Amino acid sequence: MGGRQETKRRPTLAEIKATWPPAVDVSTAATAFGMSRSKAYDLVARDEFPAKVAKYGGRIMVITESLVRALSVED
């Protein structure tokens, strides 16, 4: 453990389409774009996250379908 943060592997578009639920948390969505959690939350706060973000109660979620569309444009 020792204070080192484990790096998450970037999922493939095929993995996202096949296994992700309709909405994911911001940290999970950040891995798909290859960005840090803090960068993702910064973009969400500025309404600049590259996929559709929705608030459910106190949670911020990213719509997987919009994430797939955004990644499809990138590839």
Side-chain angles (χ1 to χ4, degrees):
M1 296 210 167
R4 218 177 104 167
Q5 188 174 9
E6 190 175 316
T7 303
K8 291 183 180 181
R9 181 184 66 80
R10 185 175 177 176
T12 66
L13 188 55
E15 289 172 332
I16 295 168
K17 288 178 179 180
T19 63
W20 283 24
V24 294
D25 60 55
V26 175
S27 295
T28 300
T31 65
F33 289 105
M35 68 177 71
S36 70
R37 178 182 183 272
S38 61
K39 176 67 174 178
Y41 275 103
D42 179 53
L43 291 174
V44 167
R46 294 186 294 159
D47 280 336
E48 295 177 7
F49 195 77
K52 184 176 179 178
V53 175
K55 293 183 181 180
Y56 298 103
R59 297 187 71 191
I60 301 171
M61 302 296 285
V62 177
I63 307 304
T64 302
E65 183 179 320
S66 70
L67 184 147
V68 167
R69 279 195 306 271
L71 289 172
S72 296
V73 170
E74 280 186 13
D75 288 344

